[in-house]
Amino acid sequence: MDDSREPTTYRRMGLSLLAGALGVGICIALASHRPAILWRAYLLGVVSCWLVSMGAAGLIAIGNLTGGKWAAAARPYYLASMKTLPVVAALLVPLAFALAQIYPWTQANSTGGESFSAAKADYLSPPFFLARAAAYLIVWLFVTRWLASVSRLELLPGSTLEMRRAGALSLVLLVPTVTFAAFDWVMSLEPHWYSSIFGAVLTAGGVVAAHALAVYGLARTPARLRRAIVDAAAEEVVEGDEKQVAGLFGDLGNLLLAFIMVWTYFSFSQFLIIWSGNLPSEIAWYERRLDGGWQFAALGVVALCFVMPFFILLSRDVKQNIWPLAVVAMIVLVGYGLNMYWTVVPAFQPVNTEELLASAGAMLTLGGLWSALNAWQLGRLLRTHFGGAIDRSRGQERC
Amino acid sequence: MSMTTENFGLLAEFVEPDELVEATARIYDTGYRDFEAYAPMPVEGLPEAVGFPRSRMPLVVLIGGVVGCLTGFGMQYYLTVIDYPLNIGGRPLNSWPSFVPVVFELTVLFAALSAVLGMLAMNGLPRPHHPLFGVPQFDRVTQDRFFVCIRRTDPLFHEQTTREFLQRLGAKEVIDVPL
């Protein structure tokens, strides 16, 4: 084993890359002769990773604004997720060359294509679409660089004026850009359907996933190193006081519970309003997702993203203990993936088996790649800022 | 004082919170159980020293929440399915998605109310009078003094030995609490 690496992240990088390679294999075997399927699957994979990076950026901005022990302790993990954005941005670029393969509106108002109002056709024209995408990326690359440069890891629970300023302005820039990017990239897959809360639904999912990943990461960090992080985040360090760790995990667990409830609230609001209205142009979106077997995926999403984590996280014993909380975080992460799959794949009607499997394969590939990158970033951050504690923990614990 | 045979208990006064925590722990370890500590602010370690059992409040709140949830659903189900069935846009009578907001609100309401009422009941409140209010020194419990009171009903309680025990714990003063 390469001794310059922190063992947990090293192992995760390996596993992630393995999953990614498996996904590549699945995609090539299934759909190499069907580029349209591959491109759509690729879109699903990239967008799923992109939302987690953006969720992490939002969490850093919120943490910089509010301060607090939770923000200080989770910051290295959020940063590791956010710092994947340049790669995510690079992965988004190829999609610009495949718009016609992915989005039905590229054939809008042409003979045999879909018909839209003039305003919608203008909004969803490829040049404007690409210009918007470029603008979003420039904003995000600027925001994430700024947040990364002001967020100091060795900091106590407070936050500097610089951090608060960057946090506030970043949120102002992130919320509209991410919302519109969600409209452009995902909602426009079914261009006749619209929901103004759709961007918030996707964003909340990304925030939940980024936070769950931070909780999972902190739980899997070797105990001595975790101790160093918790101590750095505490107002005063009490030697051998395990209550501090329990209290911090309680806070992180409560936050996970709160984010899950917000996400559920957004998702259910959208469903309830459309279900109540029952208008053909709106309800069709849910009909595609609650019929033909998709209802089981929907039930799975409800179970993994709400019912299970909600009831498990009600217990204080779970929240204050590290491994049950890691299990809940893992459940939520799987639920996030399933939710993305359930949200995006039914848009590609009719959905055949190749499409189903290639989409799962692409999520595995890009998720694996993203996760490896995230683990690498995390290892780098922890080595730089908590290197002493890593040296002491090496050889004592291998997770 | 002639009242000593019929007092409520003995009250010991401390100046520092650490003294209170230490004294309380010693009292518990000696075997006293019917005693209570009083402080002007939350003192770290005091609940553990008094030997507080694990709070049953979470269970009370959970039961309140479940009752609220069932009430919310039952009420709407009874109205729309049994009492006054009405065809609204061809939807099934038991249209549960539209019940969810009310079910959620009543769950929160009942859970919150049971938290407030449960807290009052478990603390024995409201309670207009308490024998400790008859002790003039006890007024400073809301300012800068820390107290522990061992009640006469404790089986280990003995007028003389308990008084001496409290004095040995470093109490500034040990006071008779009249009934």
Side-chain angles (χ1 to χ4, degrees), chain B residues 10-58:
Chain B
L10 286 170
L11 182 70
E13 179 180 357
F14 296 90
V15 182
E16 296 294 332
D18 296 346
E19 294 174 356
L20 177 71
V21 175
E22 199 175 315
T24 309
R26 289 277 303 279
I27 293 168
Y28 187 87
D29 291 342
T30 309
Y32 290 100
R33 288 295 176 270
D34 203 357
F35 67 99
E36 187 65 88
Y38 305 89
M41 78 283 197
V43 176
E44 193 150 353
L46 190 57
E48 291 80 4
V50 178
F52 265 177
R54 209 187 145 88
S55 170
R56 279 171 299 162
M57 275 308 287

Side-chain angles (χ1 to χ4, degrees), chain A residues 311 314, chain B residues 59-73 103 106-108 110-111 114:
Chain A
F311 284 100
L314 280 182
Chain B
L59 184 65
V60 172
V61 177
L62 179 69
I63 292 171
V66 170
V67 171
C69 178
L70 295 176
T71 308
F73 190 85
V103 169
L106 282 194
T107 304
V108 174
F110 276 51
S114 55

Side-chain angles (χ1 to χ4, degrees), chain A residues 2 9 62 64 67 106 114 128 144 161 196 220 300 313 333 344 358:
Chain A
D2 178 356
T9 57
I62 293 171
N64 284 3
T106 47
E114 315 246 6
F128 190 28
T144 52
L161 178 66
S196 50
R220 289 302 300 261
L313 285 172
L333 282 169
V344 173

Side-chain angles (χ1 to χ4, degrees), chain A residues 16-286:
Chain A
S16 303
L17 287 174
L18 205 67
L22 183 70
V24 172
I26 293 174
C27 288
I28 290 176
L30 281 167
S32 53
H33 60 292
R34 298 278 307 277
I37 288 184
L38 272 186
W39 277 117
R40 293 170 194 159
Y42 181 79
L43 171 80
L44 167 65
V46 180
V47 164
S48 304
C49 298
W50 158 71
L51 277 169
V52 186
S53 302
M54 299 319 291
L59 284 165
I60 291 173
I62 293 171
N64 284 3
L65 264 179
T66 62
K69 272 183 262 185
W70 69 271
R75 195 169 284 135
Y77 301 89
Y78 295 156
L79 272 174
S81 297
M82 185 182 78
K83 284 188 162 187
T84 58
L85 191 75
V87 174
V88 172
L91 289 171
L92 280 163
V93 171
L95 290 167
F97 303 101
L99 293 184
Q101 310 259 31
I102 299 169
Y103 294 104
W105 47 259
T106 47
Q107 276 90 43
N109 295 352
S110 64
T111 40
E114 315 246 6
S115 76
F116 296 124
S117 68
K120 196 171 215 168
D122 286 345
Y123 184 80
L124 289 175
S125 68
F128 190 28
F129 180 91
L130 293 175
R132 282 197 307 272
Y136 304 147
L137 288 177
I138 291 167
V139 169
W140 299 333
L141 289 171
F142 161 73
V143 163
T144 52
R145 274 195 84 90
W146 192 21
L147 282 174
S149 70
V150 298
S151 303
R152 290 170 41 209
L153 284 172
E154 61 283 5
L155 207 75
L156 290 174
S159 60
T160 61
L161 178 66
E162 211 184 14
M163 282 165 74
R164 289 198 296 276
R165 199 173 279 158
L169 205 67
S170 297
L171 280 180
V172 171
L173 289 169
L174 282 174
V175 170
T177 49
V178 176
T179 298
F180 273 90
F183 291 165
D184 286 7
W185 301 349
V186 183
M187 200 165 89
S188 81
L189 288 169
E190 288 146 289
H192 291 287
W193 181 81
Y194 56 88
S195 159
S196 50
I197 204 172
F198 187 75
V201 174
L202 284 198
T203 311
V207 169
V208 166
H211 185 67
L213 199 63
V215 170
Y216 182 76
L218 197 57
R220 289 302 300 261
T221 301
R224 197 184 288 257
L225 177 55
R226 179 169 60 231
R227 189 68 233 219
I229 296 168
V230 174
D231 284 349
E235 270 152 30
E236 52 176 328
V237 178
V238 185
E239 200 62 47
D241 183 8
E242 282 307 310
K243 258 194 278 176
Q244 222 155 32
V245 180
L248 178 77
F249 271 84
D251 290 349
L252 291 173
N254 273 332
L255 266 180
L256 185 58
L257 181 61
F259 289 143
I260 282 168
M261 289 177 71
V262 169
W263 189 21
T264 309
Y265 172 79
F266 286 163
S267 307
F268 185 76
S269 308
Q270 178 181 291
F271 171 72
L272 181 61
I273 289 167
I274 288 173
W275 178 87
S276 303
N278 205 19
L279 301 172
S281 63
E282 293 181 350
I283 199 72
W285 195 88
Y286 278 105

